[in-house]
């Protein structure tokens, strides 16, 4: 997709969808900062990218902390160059029910998946504005649009991601910065396994049954893979997407059609 000479920041990139996106952008020619709160795992991913010939560094950034974000991006830019691509992928899933009365999971979800997007965008956007080119991709979810119950914090945060995407897209368009969201469906990751486990415990289901049932409900007949999301991210980072901004792309095998 021709990303040579461009530096990319990918949050939550130590595993799953984030790691797949980092690998795909590196394959497309970008220099990639593998960002995660887990420094050891982030370095493992970055080392694998370097072993395949890419320019990559690991950055241990807490996306909920402004100083950590600012210092981490500055350090990555010294090595890779000014970031012109930002993928806000960091996320958490905590089962939350209205009547539980606990705000800890709510606060964590809002901090990571909403505040984190804003902080990362605030620090990265000036580099893009100076260059007159940029791409910001925010990871929403199929659960930006649907819910299954006892997922109050996750659904609310991921719905907010779409509002942030539209607002950032409108504000940054004059600088030739395209801002879009990808909304994954049921993608086979550790997080999806946790979601399945939470549903199984809540409903008294057999362990592993939820994922199996889920796959059978998807029109394309399978759970998604992290690479399916990485392919979409590659397109939205490319020049082929230069007239697309403020949009949300659902990648879910047809189980939800917007």
């Amino acid at each position: 997709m021709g990303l040579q000479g461009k530096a990319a920041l990918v949050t939550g990139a130590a595993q799953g969808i984030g790691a797949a996106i980092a690998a795909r952008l590196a394959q497309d020619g970008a220099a990639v900062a593998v960002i995660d709160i887990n420094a050891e795992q982030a370095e493992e991913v970055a080392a694998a990218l370097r072993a395949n010939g890419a320019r990559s560094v690991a950055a241990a950034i807490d996306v909920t902390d402004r100083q950590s974000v600012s210092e981490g991006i500055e350090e990555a830019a010294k090595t890779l160059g000014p970031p012109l691509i930002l993928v806000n992928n960091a996320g958490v899933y905590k089962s939350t029910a209205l009547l539980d009365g606990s705000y800890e999971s709510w606060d964590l979800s809002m901090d990571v998946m909403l505040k984190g997007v804003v902080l990362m965008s605030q620090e990265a956007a000036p580099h893009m504005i100076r260059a007159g080119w940029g791409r910001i991709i925010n990871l929403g979810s199929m659960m930006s649009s649907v819910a299954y119950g006892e997922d109050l914090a996750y659904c609310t945060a991921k719905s907010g991601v779409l509002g942030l995407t539209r607002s950032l897209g409108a504000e940054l368009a004059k600088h030739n910065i395209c801002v879009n969201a990808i909304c994954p469906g049921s993608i086979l990751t550790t997080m999806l396994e946790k979601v399945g486990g939470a549903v199984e415990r809540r409903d008294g289901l057999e362990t592993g049954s939820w994922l199996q049932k889920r796959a059978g409900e998807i029109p394309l007949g399978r759970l998604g893979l992290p690479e399916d999301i990485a392919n979409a991210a590659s397109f939205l980072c490319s020049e082929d997407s230069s007239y697309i901004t403020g949009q949300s792309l659902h990648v879910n095998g047809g189980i939800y059609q917007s």
Side-chain angles (χ1 to χ4, degrees), residues 111-188:
D111 283 350
V112 172
M113 293 184 285
L114 288 179
K115 180 183 177 182
V117 172
V118 173
L119 292 181
M120 289 294 300
S121 299
Q122 283 179 333
E123 293 296 328
H127 296 281
M128 302 177 192
I129 291 170
R130 284 192 290 271
W133 191 96
R135 297 286 190 270
I136 298 176
I137 298 173
N138 301 322
L139 268 289
S141 170
M142 182 173 71
M143 291 168 71
S144 299
S145 303
V146 300
Y148 299 94
E150 298 189 10
D151 43 27
L152 189 67
Y154 191 81
C155 285
T156 302
K158 288 301 188 180
S159 297
V161 166
L162 301 193
L164 277 174
T165 298
R166 291 189 292 268
S167 182
L168 291 175
E171 181 175 346
L172 297 175
K174 62 185 177 183
H175 300 293
N176 195 32
I177 300 170
C178 297
V179 186
N180 293 290
I182 298 174
C183 295
S186 297
I187 309 299
L188 192 53

Side-chain angles (χ1 to χ4, degrees), residues 1-3 10 17 20-30 85 87 133 135 137 139 182 226-242 249 251:
M1 288 293 184
L3 299 181
V10 184
I17 289 173
I21 291 174
R24 178 55 194 266
L25 297 186
Q27 179 184 327
D28 291 343
I85 296 168
V87 181
W133 191 96
R135 297 286 190 270
I137 298 173
L139 268 289
I182 298 174
E227 289 73 18
D228 293 314
I229 308 305
N231 293 340
S234 173
F235 166 68
L236 289 175
C237 286
S238 75
E239 285 300 325
D240 290 342
S241 68
S242 62
L249 174 61
V251 183

